[in-house]
Amino acid sequence: MKFLKNYSIDVIKLKEGKHEFTFPVDGEFFSHFEVQDFLKDGNLNATVEINKLTSLMEVAFKIAGKVRLICDRSLEEFDYKLSTTERVIYKYGQEEAEITEDVFMITRDTPAYM
């Protein structure tokens, strides 16, 4: 999907250190996916913080805002505040592997876009 380039970060070009990127996640974003019947719209901000080191990358994802949902009982629309944070660590190694649900081993030639 071409529009996803707006949400890509070329991590290979980043210098070592901390970097922060913010992306809007709104109705246009959701329109590119087959979302469930209960999601009508959204107005969220996704912030990606990357700490790039020699042997690994620490990545924190923060998503906050609201989504417009449809109640499965009354079929009424309502706004739901959403706030979530996730952390992922990417370590460089000889092969790609999932070590735990939030730690991944990647090779230095793994595709560079997040």
Side-chain angles (χ1 to χ4, degrees):
M1 286 187 212
K2 209 173 201 180
F3 96 99
L4 283 178
K5 285 192 171 207
N6 297 328
Y7 298 91
S8 296
I9 301 169
D10 190 355
V11 295
I12 294 285
K13 292 182 180 179
L14 296 178
K15 295 182 181 190
E16 286 188 20
K18 295 183 179 185
H19 308 272
E20 185 174 299
F21 304 88
T22 302
F23 303 98
V25 180
D26 54 18
E28 181 188 354
F29 178 87
F30 293 118
S31 72
H32 292 278
F33 299 95
E34 290 183 29
V35 295
Q36 301 294 326
D37 293 336
F38 59 84
L39 177 65
K40 288 294 280 184
D41 199 0
N43 186 12
L44 305 157
N45 278 318
T47 301
V48 180
E49 297 173 352
I50 301 172
N51 187 14
K52 187 174 181 181
L53 305 169
T54 304
S55 60
L56 60 86
M57 284 186 294
E58 299 170 319
V59 183
F61 301 91
K62 297 177 184 177
I63 301 171
K66 64 181 179 177
V67 289
R68 187 107 178 125
L69 302 175
I70 299 175
C71 178
D72 62 344
R73 287 188 166 185
S74 67
L75 300 179
E76 296 288 323
E77 292 184 14
F78 66 99
D79 290 332
Y80 181 79
K81 287 186 180 181
L82 182 78
S83 180
T84 187
T85 302
E86 295 289 332
R87 291 195 171 279
V88 179
I89 296 175
Y90 297 96
K91 293 183 176 184
Y92 293 113
Q94 299 296 324
E95 60 185 32
E96 292 185 19
E98 181 176 339
I99 298 169
T100 65
E101 68 181 32
D102 58 351
V103 179
F104 296 87
M105 183 80 65
I106 59 173
T107 64
R108 296 226 179 249
D109 60 350
T110 295
Y113 291 98
M114 297 188 114

